[in-house]
Amino acid sequence: GLDESLLSDAVDQEVVLVNAPLKYIVVEGVIGRLPPVDLSLNIYRDGKKVGVAVVSAQARGANFAADLTQGEARVGDTVRSD
């Protein structure tokens, strides 16, 4: 099956910017460990799932962008590829 260790360091990243009109978010990631483009990410707030975003090709340093496909996001929300 899927190698869980590849997902483990993609856990609990933080939304650092939300562009509501253009429906994308920027997530603070780890330099050199950016998630693959088109990976689906779940967005959580206070332990509840509030949205879904898909990783886009836009990245700068450790931060990467994702397109909001469902729900919503706010700065400080948690992002996980689970």
Side-chain angles (χ1 to χ4, degrees):
L2 202 56
D3 185 351
E4 293 295 325
S5 67
L6 291 177
L7 296 178
S8 62
D9 30 302
V11 164
D12 288 358
Q13 297 176 324
E14 191 175 317
V15 176
V16 291
L17 184 147
V18 176
N19 187 316
L22 294 181
K23 283 199 171 296
Y24 76 84
I25 63 173
V26 174
V27 180
E28 186 174 31
V30 180
I31 288 182
R33 300 302 299 259
L34 292 175
V37 172
D38 293 335
L39 180 70
S40 236
L41 302 171
N42 292 322
I43 303 163
Y44 293 91
R45 184 180 309 137
D46 301 324
K48 295 191 176 71
K49 184 174 169 182
V50 294
V52 177
V54 176
V55 177
S56 79
Q58 304 296 315
R60 183 174 295 136
N63 291 0
F64 61 89
D67 296 311
L68 200 56
T69 55
Q70 286 174 41
E72 57 155 8
R74 287 187 207 149
V75 170
D77 285 352
T78 297
V79 171
R80 285 207 299 269
S81 56
D82 49 12

Coordinates of all heavy atoms in Angstrom, one line a residue:
G1 N 0.8 -1.2 0.0 CA 0.0 0.0 0.0 C 0.8 1.3 0.0 O 2.0 1.2 -0.3
L2 N 0.2 2.3 0.4 CA 0.9 3.6 0.4 C 1.9 3.7 1.5 O 1.7 3.2 2.6 CB -0.2 4.7 0.6 CG 0.2 6.1 0.1 CD1 0.5 6.1 -1.3 CD2 -1.1 7.0 0.3
D3 N 3.1 4.3 1.2 CA 4.1 4.4 2.3 C 3.7 5.5 3.2 O 3.8 6.7 2.9 CB 5.4 4.7 1.6 CG 6.6 4.7 2.6 OD1 6.3 4.7 3.8 OD2 7.7 4.8 2.2
E4 N 3.3 5.1 4.4 CA 2.8 6.1 5.4 C 3.9 7.1 5.8 O 3.6 8.2 6.1 CB 2.4 5.4 6.7 CG 1.1 4.5 6.5 CD -0.1 5.3 6.2 OE1 -0.2 6.5 6.7 OE2 -0.9 4.9 5.4
S5 N 5.2 6.7 5.7 CA 6.2 7.6 6.2 C 6.3 8.8 5.2 O 6.8 9.9 5.6 CB 7.6 6.9 6.3 OG 8.0 6.5 4.9
L6 N 5.9 8.6 4.0 CA 6.0 9.8 3.1 C 4.9 10.8 3.5 O 5.1 12.0 3.2 CB 5.7 9.3 1.6 CG 6.7 8.4 1.0 CD1 6.3 8.0 -0.4 CD2 8.1 9.2 0.9
L7 N 3.8 10.4 4.1 CA 2.8 11.3 4.4 C 3.0 11.9 5.8 O 2.5 13.0 6.1 CB 1.4 10.6 4.5 CG 0.9 10.0 3.1 CD1 -0.4 9.3 3.3 CD2 0.8 11.1 2.1
S8 N 3.8 11.3 6.6 CA 3.9 11.7 8.0 C 4.4 13.1 8.2 O 4.0 13.8 9.0 CB 4.7 10.7 8.8 OG 6.0 10.6 8.4
D9 N 5.4 13.5 7.3 CA 5.9 14.8 7.5 C 5.1 15.9 6.7 O 5.4 17.1 6.8 CB 7.4 14.9 7.1 CG 7.8 14.0 6.0 OD1 7.6 12.8 6.2 OD2 8.3 14.4 5.0
A10 N 4.0 15.5 6.1 CA 3.1 16.4 5.5 C 2.0 16.8 6.4 O 1.0 17.4 6.1 CB 2.6 15.9 4.2
V11 N 2.1 16.4 7.7 CA 1.0 16.5 8.7 C 1.1 17.9 9.3 O 2.2 18.4 9.6 CB 1.1 15.4 9.7 CG1 0.3 15.7 11.0 CG2 0.7 14.1 9.1
D12 N -0.1 18.4 9.6 CA -0.2 19.6 10.4 C 0.6 20.8 9.9 O 1.4 21.4 10.6 CB 0.1 19.3 11.9 CG -1.0 18.5 12.5 OD1 -2.0 18.2 11.8 OD2 -0.8 18.1 13.7
Q13 N 0.4 21.2 8.7 CA 1.0 22.4 8.2 C 0.0 23.5 8.3 O -1.2 23.2 8.5 CB 1.4 22.2 6.7 CG 2.5 21.1 6.6 CD 2.9 20.9 5.2 OE1 2.1 20.9 4.3 NE2 4.2 20.6 5.0
E14 N 0.4 24.7 8.2 CA -0.5 25.9 8.6 C -0.7 26.8 7.4 O 0.1 27.1 6.6 CB 0.2 26.7 9.7 CG -0.8 27.7 10.4 CD -0.1 28.4 11.5 OE1 0.5 27.7 12.4 OE2 -0.3 29.6 11.6
V15 N -2.0 27.2 7.3 CA -2.4 28.2 6.3 C -1.9 29.5 6.7 O -2.1 30.0 7.8 CB -3.9 28.2 6.2 CG1 -4.4 29.3 5.2 CG2 -4.5 26.9 5.7
V16 N -1.1 30.2 5.8 CA -0.5 31.5 6.2 C -1.1 32.6 5.4 O -0.9 33.8 5.7 CB 1.0 31.5 6.0 CG1 1.7 30.6 7.1 CG2 1.5 31.0 4.7
L17 N -1.8 32.3 4.3 CA -2.5 33.3 3.5 C -3.7 32.7 2.8 O -3.7 31.6 2.4 CB -1.5 33.8 2.4 CG -2.0 35.0 1.6 CD1 -0.8 35.9 1.2 CD2 -2.6 34.5 0.3
V18 N -4.8 33.5 2.8 CA -6.0 33.1 2.1 C -6.4 34.1 1.1 O -6.5 35.3 1.4 CB -7.2 32.8 3.0 CG1 -8.4 32.5 2.3 CG2 -6.8 31.7 4.1
N19 N -6.5 33.8 -0.2 CA -7.0 34.7 -1.2 C -8.4 34.2 -1.6 O -8.6 33.3 -2.4 CB -6.1 34.7 -2.4 CG -6.5 35.8 -3.4 OD1 -7.7 36.0 -3.7 ND2 -5.6 36.5 -3.9
A20 N -9.4 34.8 -0.9 CA -10.8 34.4 -1.1 C -11.3 34.6 -2.5 O -11.9 33.8 -3.1 CB -11.7 35.0 -0.1
P21 N -11.1 35.8 -3.1 CA -11.6 36.1 -4.5 C -11.0 35.1 -5.5 O -11.8 34.7 -6.4 CB -11.1 37.5 -4.8 CG -10.9 38.1 -3.4 CD -10.4 37.0 -2.5
L22 N -9.8 34.8 -5.4 CA -9.2 33.8 -6.3 C -9.2 32.4 -5.9 O -8.7 31.5 -6.6 CB -7.7 34.3 -6.6 CG -7.6 35.6 -7.3 CD1 -6.1 35.9 -7.6 CD2 -8.3 35.6 -8.6
K23 N -9.8 32.2 -4.7 CA -10.0 30.8 -4.1 C -8.7 30.0 -4.1 O -8.6 28.9 -4.6 CB -11.0 30.1 -5.0 CG -12.4 30.5 -4.6 CD -13.4 29.4 -5.1 CE -14.8 29.7 -4.6 NZ -15.0 29.6 -3.1
Y24 N -7.6 30.6 -3.5 CA -6.5 29.8 -3.2 C -5.9 30.2 -1.8 O -6.2 31.2 -1.3 CB -5.4 30.0 -4.3 CG -4.6 31.2 -4.3 CD1 -3.5 31.4 -3.5 CD2 -4.9 32.3 -5.1 CE1 -2.7 32.5 -3.5 CE2 -4.2 33.5 -5.1 CZ -3.1 33.6 -4.3 OH -2.3 34.7 -4.3
I25 N -5.1 29.3 -1.3 CA -4.5 29.4 0.0 C -3.0 29.2 -0.2 O -2.5 28.6 -1.2 CB -5.0 28.5 1.0 CG1 -4.7 27.0 0.6 CG2 -6.5 28.7 1.2 CD1 -5.0 26.0 1.7
V26 N -2.2 29.8 0.7 CA -0.8 29.5 0.8 C -0.5 28.8 2.1 O -1.0 29.2 3.2 CB 0.1 30.8 0.7 CG1 1.6 30.5 0.9 CG2 -0.2 31.5 -0.7
V27 N 0.3 27.7 2.0 CA 0.5 26.9 3.2 C 2.0 27.0 3.5 O 2.9 26.9 2.6 CB 0.1 25.4 2.9 CG1 0.4 24.5 4.1 CG2 -1.4 25.4 2.5
E28 N 2.4 27.1 4.8 CA 3.8 27.0 5.2 C 4.2 25.6 5.2 O 3.7 24.8 6.1 CB 3.9 27.7 6.6 CG 5.3 27.8 7.0 CD 5.5 28.6 8.3 OE1 4.6 28.5 9.1 OE2 6.5 29.3 8.5
G29 N 5.1 25.2 4.3 CA 5.6 23.9 4.3 C 7.0 23.7 4.8 O 7.4 24.5 5.7
V30 N 7.7 22.7 4.3 CA 9.0 22.4 4.7 C 9.9 22.5 3.4 O 9.6 21.9 2.4 CB 9.1 21.0 5.3 CG1 10.6 20.7 5.7 CG2 8.2 20.9 6.5
I31 N 11.0 23.3 3.5 CA 11.9 23.4 2.4 C 12.4 22.0 1.9 O 12.8 21.2 2.7 CB 13.1 24.3 2.7 CG1 12.6 25.8 2.8 CG2 14.2 24.2 1.6 CD1 13.6 26.8 3.1
G32 N 12.3 21.8 0.6 CA 12.7 20.5 0.1 C 11.7 19.4 0.2 O 12.0 18.3 -0.3
R33 N 10.6 19.6 0.9 CA 9.6 18.6 1.0 C 8.2 19.1 0.6 O 7.3 18.9 1.3 CB 9.6 18.1 2.5 CG 10.8 17.6 3.1 CD 11.4 16.4 2.3 NE 10.5 15.3 2.3 CZ 10.6 14.2 3.1 NH1 11.5 14.1 4.0 NH2 9.8 13.2 2.9
L34 N 8.2 19.7 -0.6 CA 6.9 20.2 -1.0 C 6.0 19.1 -1.5 O 6.5 18.1 -2.1 CB 7.1 21.2 -2.2 CG 7.8 22.5 -1.8 CD1 8.1 23.4 -3.0 CD2 7.0 23.3 -0.8
P35 N 4.7 19.2 -1.3 CA 3.8 18.1 -1.7 C 3.7 18.0 -3.2 O 3.9 19.1 -3.9 CB 2.5 18.4 -1.0 CG 2.6 19.9 -0.9 CD 4.0 20.2 -0.6
P36 N 3.4 16.9 -3.8 CA 3.2 16.8 -5.2 C 2.0 17.6 -5.7 O 1.0 17.7 -5.0 CB 2.9 15.3 -5.5 CG 2.6 14.7 -4.2 CD 3.2 15.6 -3.1
V37 N 2.1 18.2 -6.9 CA 1.0 19.0 -7.5 C -0.2 18.0 -7.6 O 0.0 16.8 -7.9 CB 1.4 19.5 -8.8 CG1 0.3 20.1 -9.6 CG2 2.6 20.5 -8.7
D38 N -1.4 18.6 -7.4 CA -2.7 17.8 -7.5 C -3.0 17.0 -6.3 O -4.0 16.3 -6.3 CB -2.8 17.0 -8.8 CG -2.8 17.9 -10.0 OD1 -3.3 19.0 -9.9 OD2 -2.5 17.4 -11.1
L39 N -2.1 17.0 -5.3 CA -2.4 16.3 -4.0 C -3.6 17.0 -3.3 O -3.6 18.2 -3.3 CB -1.2 16.3 -3.1 CG -1.4 15.5 -1.8 CD1 -1.5 14.0 -2.0 CD2 -0.2 15.8 -0.8
S40 N -4.5 16.2 -2.9 CA -5.7 16.8 -2.1 C -5.3 17.0 -0.7 O -4.7 16.1 0.0 CB -6.8 15.8 -2.2 OG -8.0 16.4 -2.7
L41 N -5.6 18.1 -0.1 CA -5.3 18.4 1.3 C -6.6 18.8 2.0 O -7.5 19.5 1.5 CB -4.4 19.7 1.3 CG -3.1 19.6 0.6 CD1 -2.4 20.9 0.6 CD2 -2.2 18.5 1.3
N42 N -6.8 18.2 3.2 CA -7.9 18.6 4.0 C -7.6 19.7 4.9 O -6.5 19.8 5.4 CB -8.4 17.4 4.8 CG -9.0 16.3 3.9 OD1 -9.7 16.6 3.0 ND2 -8.7 15.0 4.2
I43 N -8.5 20.6 5.1 CA -8.3 21.8 5.9 C -9.1 21.6 7.2 O -10.3 21.4 7.1 CB -8.7 23.1 5.2 CG1 -7.9 23.2 3.9 CG2 -8.5 24.3 6.1 CD1 -8.6 24.2 2.9
Y44 N -8.4 21.8 8.3 CA -9.1 21.6 9.6 C -9.0 22.9 10.5 O -8.0 23.6 10.4 CB -8.4 20.5 10.4 CG -8.6 19.1 9.8 CD1 -7.7 18.6 8.9 CD2 -9.7 18.3 10.1 CE1 -7.8 17.4 8.3 CE2 -9.9 17.1 9.5 CZ -8.9 16.6 8.6 OH -9.1 15.4 8.0
R45 N -10.1 23.1 11.2 CA -10.1 24.2 12.2 C -10.7 23.6 13.5 O -11.8 23.1 13.5 CB -11.0 25.3 11.7 CG -11.0 26.6 12.6 CD -11.8 27.7 12.0 NE -11.5 27.9 10.6 CZ -12.4 28.1 9.7 NH1 -13.7 28.1 9.9 NH2 -11.9 28.3 8.4
D46 N -10.0 23.7 14.6 CA -10.4 23.2 15.9 C -10.8 21.7 15.8 O -11.8 21.3 16.3 CB -11.6 24.0 16.4 CG -11.3 25.5 16.6 OD1 -10.1 25.7 17.0 OD2 -12.1 26.3 16.4
G47 N -10.1 21.0 15.0 CA -10.3 19.5 14.8 C -11.4 19.2 13.9 O -11.7 18.0 13.7
K48 N -12.1 20.2 13.3 CA -13.2 19.9 12.4 C -12.8 20.2 10.9 O -12.2 21.2 10.7 CB -14.4 20.7 12.7 CG -15.1 20.4 14.0 CD -16.4 21.1 14.1 CE -17.2 20.7 15.4 NZ -16.5 21.3 16.6
K49 N -13.1 19.3 10.0 CA -12.8 19.5 8.6 C -13.7 20.7 8.1 O -14.9 20.6 8.2 CB -13.0 18.3 7.8 CG -12.6 18.4 6.4 CD -12.7 17.0 5.7 CE -12.5 17.2 4.2 NZ -12.6 15.9 3.5
V50 N -13.0 21.7 7.5 CA -13.8 22.9 7.0 C -13.6 23.1 5.5 O -14.3 23.9 4.9 CB -13.4 24.2 7.7 CG1 -13.8 24.1 9.2 CG2 -11.9 24.4 7.6
G51 N -12.7 22.4 4.9 CA -12.5 22.6 3.4 C -11.5 21.6 2.8 O -10.9 20.8 3.5
V52 N -11.4 21.6 1.5 CA -10.5 20.8 0.8 C -9.7 21.7 -0.2 O -10.4 22.6 -0.9 CB -11.2 19.7 0.0 CG1 -10.2 18.8 -0.8 CG2 -11.9 18.8 1.0
A53 N -8.4 21.5 -0.4 CA -7.7 22.3 -1.4 C -6.8 21.3 -2.1 O -6.4 20.2 -1.6 CB -6.8 23.3 -0.7
V54 N -6.4 21.7 -3.4 CA -5.6 20.8 -4.2 C -4.3 21.6 -4.5 O -4.3 22.8 -4.9 CB -6.3 20.5 -5.5 CG1 -5.4 19.7 -6.4 CG2 -7.6 19.7 -5.2
V55 N -3.2 21.0 -4.2 CA -1.9 21.6 -4.4 C -1.7 22.1 -5.8 O -1.9 21.3 -6.8 CB -0.7 20.6 -4.0 CG1 0.7 21.3 -4.2 CG2 -0.9 20.2 -2.5
S56 N -1.3 23.3 -6.0 CA -1.0 23.9 -7.3 C 0.5 23.9 -7.5 O 1.3 23.5 -6.7 CB -1.6 25.3 -7.5 OG -0.7 26.2 -6.8
A57 N 0.9 24.3 -8.7 CA 2.4 24.3 -9.0 C 3.1 25.5 -8.5 O 4.3 25.6 -8.6 CB 2.5 24.2 -10.6
Q58 N 2.4 26.4 -7.8 CA 3.0 27.7 -7.3 C 3.7 27.4 -6.0 O 3.0 27.0 -5.0 CB 1.9 28.7 -7.1 CG 1.2 29.1 -8.4 CD 2.0 29.6 -9.5 OE1 2.9 30.5 -9.2 NE2 1.9 29.2 -10.7
A59 N 5.0 27.6 -5.9 CA 5.7 27.4 -4.6 C 6.8 28.4 -4.6 O 7.4 28.8 -5.6 CB 6.2 26.0 -4.5
R60 N 7.1 28.9 -3.4 CA 8.3 29.8 -3.2 C 8.9 29.4 -1.8 O 8.3 29.5 -0.8 CB 7.8 31.2 -3.1 CG 8.9 32.2 -3.0 CD 8.5 33.7 -3.1 NE 8.0 33.9 -4.5 CZ 6.9 34.6 -4.7 NH1 6.2 35.1 -3.7 NH2 6.5 34.9 -5.9
G61 N 10.1 28.9 -1.9 CA 10.8 28.5 -0.7 C 10.0 27.3 -0.1 O 9.8 26.3 -0.8
A62 N 9.7 27.4 1.2 CA 9.0 26.4 1.8 C 7.5 26.5 1.7 O 6.7 25.6 2.0 CB 9.3 26.4 3.3
N63 N 7.0 27.7 1.2 CA 5.6 27.9 1.1 C 5.0 27.4 -0.3 O 5.7 27.6 -1.3 CB 5.2 29.4 1.3 CG 5.5 29.8 2.7 OD1 5.9 29.0 3.6 ND2 5.3 31.1 3.0
F64 N 3.8 26.9 -0.3 CA 3.2 26.4 -1.5 C 1.8 26.8 -1.5 O 1.1 27.1 -0.5 CB 3.4 24.9 -1.7 CG 2.7 24.1 -0.7 CD1 1.3 23.7 -0.8 CD2 3.4 23.7 0.5 CE1 0.7 22.9 0.2 CE2 2.7 22.9 1.5 CZ 1.4 22.5 1.3
A65 N 1.2 27.0 -2.7 CA -0.2 27.4 -2.9 C -1.0 26.2 -3.2 O -0.6 25.1 -3.7 CB -0.3 28.4 -4.1
A66 N -2.3 26.3 -2.9 CA -3.3 25.2 -3.2 C -4.6 25.9 -3.5 O -5.0 26.9 -3.0 CB -3.4 24.3 -2.0
D67 N -5.3 25.3 -4.5 CA -6.6 25.8 -4.9 C -7.7 25.3 -4.0 O -7.8 24.1 -3.9 CB -6.8 25.5 -6.4 CG -5.8 26.1 -7.3 OD1 -5.6 27.3 -7.2 OD2 -5.2 25.4 -8.1
L68 N -8.5 26.2 -3.5 CA -9.6 25.8 -2.6 C -10.7 25.2 -3.5 O -11.3 25.9 -4.4 CB -10.1 27.0 -1.9 CG -10.9 26.8 -0.6 CD1 -10.1 26.0 0.4 CD2 -11.2 28.2 0.0
T69 N -11.0 23.9 -3.3 CA -12.1 23.3 -4.1 C -13.4 23.0 -3.3 O -14.4 22.9 -4.0 CB -11.5 21.9 -4.6 OG1 -11.1 21.1 -3.5 CG2 -10.4 22.1 -5.6
Q70 N -13.3 23.0 -2.0 CA -14.5 22.8 -1.2 C -14.4 23.6 0.1 O -13.2 23.7 0.6 CB -14.7 21.3 -0.8 CG -15.2 20.4 -1.9 CD -15.2 19.0 -1.4 OE1 -15.6 18.7 -0.2 NE2 -14.7 18.0 -2.2
G71 N -15.5 24.1 0.6 CA -15.5 24.7 1.9 C -14.7 26.0 1.9 O -14.7 26.8 1.0
E72 N -14.0 26.2 3.0 CA -13.3 27.5 3.2 C -12.0 27.3 4.0 O -11.7 26.2 4.5 CB -14.2 28.4 4.0 CG -14.7 27.9 5.4 CD -15.0 28.9 6.4 OE1 -15.1 30.1 6.1 OE2 -15.2 28.5 7.6
A73 N -11.3 28.4 4.1 CA -10.0 28.3 4.9 C -9.8 29.7 5.5 O -10.2 30.7 5.0 CB -8.8 28.0 4.0
R74 N -9.1 29.7 6.6 CA -8.7 30.9 7.3 C -7.2 30.8 7.7 O -6.8 29.7 7.9 CB -9.5 31.2 8.6 CG -10.9 31.6 8.4 CD -11.5 31.9 9.8 NE -13.0 31.7 9.8 CZ -13.7 31.4 10.9 NH1 -13.1 31.2 12.0 NH2 -15.0 31.3 10.8
V75 N -6.6 31.9 7.8 CA -5.2 31.9 8.3 C -5.2 31.2 9.6 O -6.0 31.5 10.5 CB -4.6 33.3 8.4 CG1 -3.3 33.3 9.1 CG2 -4.5 33.9 7.0
G76 N -4.2 30.3 9.8 CA -4.1 29.6 11.1 C -4.7 28.2 11.0 O -4.5 27.4 11.9
D77 N -5.5 27.9 10.0 CA -6.1 26.6 9.9 C -5.0 25.6 9.6 O -3.9 25.9 9.2 CB -7.1 26.5 8.7 CG -8.4 27.2 9.0 OD1 -8.6 27.6 10.2 OD2 -9.3 27.3 8.1
T78 N -5.3 24.3 10.0 CA -4.3 23.2 9.8 C -4.6 22.5 8.5 O -5.8 22.3 8.1 CB -4.5 22.2 11.0 OG1 -4.1 22.9 12.2 CG2 -3.5 21.1 10.8
V79 N -3.6 22.1 7.8 CA -3.7 21.4 6.5 C -3.0 20.1 6.6 O -1.9 20.0 7.1 CB -3.0 22.2 5.4 CG1 -3.0 21.4 4.1 CG2 -3.8 23.5 5.2
R80 N -3.7 19.0 6.2 CA -3.2 17.7 6.3 C -3.5 16.9 5.0 O -4.6 17.0 4.5 CB -3.7 16.9 7.5 CG -3.2 17.3 8.8 CD -3.2 16.1 9.8 NE -4.6 15.7 10.0 CZ -5.4 16.2 11.0 NH1 -4.9 17.1 11.8 NH2 -6.6 15.7 11.2
S81 N -2.6 16.1 4.5 CA -2.9 15.3 3.4 C -3.3 13.9 3.8 O -2.6 12.9 3.7 CB -1.6 15.1 2.5 OG -0.5 14.6 3.3
D82 N -4.5 13.8 4.5 CA -4.9 12.5 4.9 C -6.1 12.1 4.1 O -6.6 11.0 4.4 CB -5.3 12.6 6.4 CG -6.2 13.7 6.8 OD1 -6.7 14.3 5.9 OD2 -6.3 14.0 8.0

